[in-house]
Amino acid sequence: MLRGPMRHLSESRPLPYVAALLLAVFVYFYGLNGLHIPRNGDENVYAHIARLTAQSGEWLPLQSELDHMRNTKPPLLFWQGIASTQWATEWDRWHLRYPSVIYTLLTAWLVFLLGRRLSGECAVGATAALTFLAFFSTYRYGRPYLTNPAETFWLFLPFFSLLYWRERAFDSRFAVPLLLGIATGIGLLYKSFALLAPVGLALAWWYLYQRRYRWRPFLLHDAPKLLLFGGTALALFALWFLLDPDPQAVWREFVLGENAGKFDARGGSYWAQLLWGGSSIWALLLGYPLNSGLLAFPVAALSVVAWRRRYRMGDEERMLWMWMIVLFFIFALPSQRSARYLIDAMPGVALLLALNWQRIPRAVFIASHLFAVAVIGLLGWLAFRLQDELAGLYGAAFWSVLALAVLLAVLGMSVSRWTRGLGNVVALLTLLLLAMFLRPFDGERGRYDAAVQQAVQGAEVWVPCDFRAGFEDHRFLLPAATIRGYHAQPPRAQEELQARYALFAVQLPLAGQPCADCEVLGSRLEIRGRHSDEEIRAMLAGEVMSQLFVREWLLRAPAAQSGSEKKEEGECR
């Protein structure tokens, strides 16, 4: 049990922690059905594969109309989507996403239990769970229809089990290694067999550390456990090859294309990419703070605190750091490096932060509050500008949450005993404010009404696409139409679009007007998520509103050319 600086947390009343946890649950479910929540473009790819596979009436093989995008991930994610949408009969974002939120909340529950066990304090467990949920990476990747929520849960479960039941778990010769292998195997079936490398290496390090680096007992007693663990995990993953009618396609598209392809430097030098650029090892080194969002400063300070305490650190903390280190070095090896690959270690980061909460200097948390105020100020400024151009977008609820978040941040900076305690709450309120800012783009102004949907029923509609399978969003906006995507970058002129497509959508600045001879069927507000270098420079020069917010017009061309050959040339696949 921790003593000293953490003791006063046990004397805290539970009500503030319960209220904060309820706020976190609300934040994670709020606006879950929206098309504009923070997410990753891969969600549309996965939704596309899940929808077509469900419509095929078979679990396997996976189905896709995208070029070189079929067996992009193991089948468990797609089976989850098929089950949650009842074979695509309940096809909306809510049914696709709610299992992700459940997985994320279950991971937070494990973090709470382990924080309580390691510290002896419920308050420390609650702080750890809140910290995990306040991380921006958890919010961005833990809610959409992505592999991360399930993958994080199943891969954290073995480490949770060994730390929670410490001696009994490590001493088990069969049951625990088998169960750890099953949990990891399920995680592999969500993401990739390659994840066995960091998980297996970290567990081997943990077992060796438990033996105090005595190799003989490790090889005699623990190596067989690790073989059982690894064999079980791989056997579960191999079920994909046994069940899929086309295992050669799985090998070619997933093993060679999706996994081995990540070591391809894509025309450049592997060593140059390792040492320079946005995919370098130095960029990956910032992954843990970047994943933390508004808590980036405390997470960065955690490394300094850990280094100073390296000789006084407990076994549990050392083992959590081992997992973080292994994951970092394994994912530093491929040519493609991203902070997203470190998300599996973020439950451990949250635990370490909670266990050292009082050791982090107060000034670091003040920096987090200032960071939050800057983000809140930016959201308020954008909302005010949009409100000025489009009246009625934001009501009293938005401005009340904004005022509350600023008030708590100011209190956190001003009152020393509240500085740390309000850190997670302010971060969660900022995430809620972001969702409320995006909400109008998912409401009436961000969708086509029933009359427009009826007008294009059964028709082929061409929509802008700035990422692979980006057109899937429009299947929720125009569910009765046949949706096709055309490349939005570089921007296409209206004249070109109306000459090619009979029905098409085009995105223009808020003050822009559609082609005069086109029939306007409807329009909606949209946020542009991807920009060219020229557009980014324009935003940095002050043209934020014109580049970030657009109006999408659904138009019928007066005399469009036809022919599948011409359509295929501009199709986004």
Side-chain angles (χ1 to χ4, degrees):
M1 182 181 297
L2 294 179
R3 303 291 183 185
M6 297 301 294
R7 173 181 289 177
H8 80 281
L9 288 179
S10 63
E11 301 169 357
S12 302
R13 295 179 180 179
L15 185 57
Y17 292 98
V18 173
L21 289 169
L22 290 176
L23 169 65
V25 173
F26 176 78
V27 167
Y28 271 74
F29 278 106
Y30 178 81
L32 189 61
N33 195 39
L35 297 179
H36 298 92
I37 70 170
R39 54 177 177 153
N40 183 274
D42 290 337
E43 184 184 40
N44 281 325
V45 176
Y46 302 152
H48 175 85
I49 296 172
R51 178 177 58 82
L52 291 184
T53 305
Q55 291 174 354
S56 74
E58 301 290 340
W59 295 101
L60 286 172
L62 302 176
Q63 303 293 324
S64 175
E65 295 177 348
L66 304 174
D67 296 334
H68 311 295
M69 275 284 180
R70 183 165 65 97
N71 292 304
T72 182
K73 286 293 179 291
L76 214 51
L77 175 70
F78 309 113
W79 292 352
Q80 172 188 303
I82 291 172
S84 66
T85 62
Q86 301 180 42
W87 289 86
T89 59
E90 299 288 344
W91 191 250
D92 57 51
R93 294 292 191 186
W94 170 269
H95 284 85
L96 276 175
R97 289 169 175 166
Y98 79 80
S100 296
V101 177
I102 292 174
Y103 265 125
T104 297
L105 294 178
L106 286 174
T107 304
W109 176 246
L110 294 183
V111 170
F112 166 78
L113 292 177
L114 193 52
R116 184 182 64 178
R117 170 59 65 92
L118 298 183
S119 66
E121 306 278 0
C122 281
V124 176
T127 299
L130 284 169
T131 301
F132 174 69
L133 294 174
F135 287 155
F136 184 69
S137 63
T138 309
Y139 185 73
R140 180 182 178 184
Y141 297 107
R143 301 171 72 224
Y145 178 58
L146 297 171
T147 62
N148 301 99
E151 164 199 345
T152 301
F153 173 80
W154 289 109
L155 297 190
F156 180 61
L157 190 57
F159 299 100
F160 164 85
S161 303
L162 289 177
L163 285 182
Y164 196 84
W165 290 285
R166 188 76 184 272
E167 298 297 335
R168 286 181 295 169
F170 275 104
D171 290 342
S172 174
R173 294 187 175 184
F174 180 78
V176 170
L178 178 64
L179 292 174
L180 299 186
I182 292 174
T184 303
I186 295 174
L188 302 187
L189 276 172
Y190 267 101
K191 186 64 174 285
S192 172
F193 65 92
L195 288 174
L196 184 61
V199 175
L201 183 57
L203 289 181
W205 194 357
W206 279 28
Y207 274 97
L208 185 59
Y209 179 80
Q210 185 75 0
R211 297 287 181 182
R212 294 300 182 257
Y213 297 104
R214 292 178 295 151
W215 283 93
R216 181 178 176 81
F218 169 77
L219 293 174
L220 288 176
H221 301 290
D222 297 327
K225 303 175 189 177
L226 292 168
L227 289 175
L228 174 61
F229 153 79
T232 303
L234 285 178
L236 274 177
F237 182 82
L239 290 175
W240 185 14
F241 289 87
L242 294 176
L243 297 175
D244 199 293
D246 190 2
Q248 291 184 343
V250 174
W251 175 266
R252 181 177 61 255
E253 297 169 14
F254 181 75
V255 176
L256 299 181
E258 179 72 13
N259 288 269
K262 292 191 182 299
F263 287 87
D264 183 4
R266 298 185 179 182
S269 166
Y270 173 86
W271 296 106
Q273 291 189 7
L274 178 69
L275 298 175
W276 294 282
S279 191
S280 68
I281 192 172
W282 313 115
L284 187 65
L285 194 62
L286 299 174
Y288 288 121
L290 290 176
N291 283 338
S292 305
L294 295 179
L295 297 176
F297 295 108
V299 168
L302 178 65
S303 303
V304 178
V305 171
W307 177 256
R308 291 175 178 173
R309 296 184 60 247
R310 61 189 181 278
Y311 299 118
R312 305 188 304 276
M313 194 181 298
D315 287 345
E316 295 85 358
E317 289 187 66
R318 292 180 185 275
M319 294 163 80
L320 289 171
W321 276 107
M322 292 174 190
W323 171 224
M324 292 172 59
I325 291 170
V326 167
L327 202 66
F328 173 84
F329 278 105
I330 290 294
F331 284 109
L333 296 177
S335 298
Q336 300 177 37
R337 303 173 189 89
S338 169
R340 182 182 177 184
Y341 300 151
L342 304 179
I343 288 176
D344 293 336
M346 296 311 290
V349 175
L351 275 166
L352 288 169
L353 198 56
L355 292 171
N356 291 277
W357 200 250
Q358 298 298 316
R359 297 187 181 97
I360 305 294
R362 177 173 177 261
V364 174
F365 285 95
I366 290 177
S368 286
H369 286 301
L370 286 171
F371 189 10
V373 170
V375 173
I376 294 167
L378 176 61
L379 292 174
W381 178 76
L382 290 173
F384 181 79
R385 291 288 306 275
L386 277 172
Q387 188 89 335
D388 189 47
E389 293 195 28
L390 304 164
L393 279 186
Y394 300 102
F398 175 83
W399 300 109
S400 298
V401 172
L402 186 148
L404 178 61
V406 172
L407 175 62
L408 293 182
V410 171
L411 286 175
M413 290 185 283
S414 305
V415 184
S416 60
R417 69 178 184 275
W418 290 351
T419 301
R420 294 175 175 83
L422 289 175
N424 288 328
V425 176
V426 171
L428 287 167
L429 283 174
T430 306
L431 294 177
L432 176 60
L433 190 68
L434 173 62
M436 296 178 74
F437 172 78
L438 297 171
R439 192 65 174 165
F441 296 89
D442 293 315
E444 292 183 5
R445 300 198 186 193
R447 296 181 178 271
Y448 294 113
D449 60 29
V452 175
Q453 296 179 19
Q454 181 67 27
V456 298
Q457 183 175 0
E460 185 178 76
V461 180
W462 288 80
V463 300
C465 173
D466 59 4
F467 191 79
R468 185 68 64 88
F471 53 82
E472 282 293 326
D473 279 339
H474 282 77
R475 295 190 186 278
F476 299 98
L477 297 168
L478 301 169
T482 301
I483 303 298
R484 303 287 185 187
Y486 65 82
H487 292 287
Q489 292 292 342
R492 308 277 291 275
Q494 290 189 72
E495 292 76 14
E496 177 187 352
L497 294 173
Q498 72 177 94
R500 184 178 294 274
Y501 310 125
L503 279 171
F504 65 95
V506 62
Q507 294 178 357
L508 303 174
L510 293 178
Q513 294 297 320
C515 45
D517 54 345
C518 294
E519 178 186 355
V520 176
L521 300 181
S523 68
R524 67 183 189 91
L525 294 179
E526 180 60 285
I527 302 176
R528 295 188 57 200
R530 293 177 179 272
H531 298 81
S532 65
D533 292 342
E534 181 180 349
E535 291 167 339
I536 292 175
R537 286 192 292 268
M539 291 177 68
L540 293 175
E543 299 178 18
V544 177
M545 299 295 294
S546 61
Q547 298 293 340
L548 189 58
F549 305 107
V550 296
R551 182 175 292 278
E552 181 178 281
W553 298 86
L554 184 60
L555 306 173
R556 189 191 306 274
Q561 297 181 11
S562 60
S564 60
E565 182 177 342
K566 286 200 172 187
K567 291 180 181 178
E568 193 70 24
E569 290 175 3
E571 189 167 2
C572 177
R573 296 175 65 94

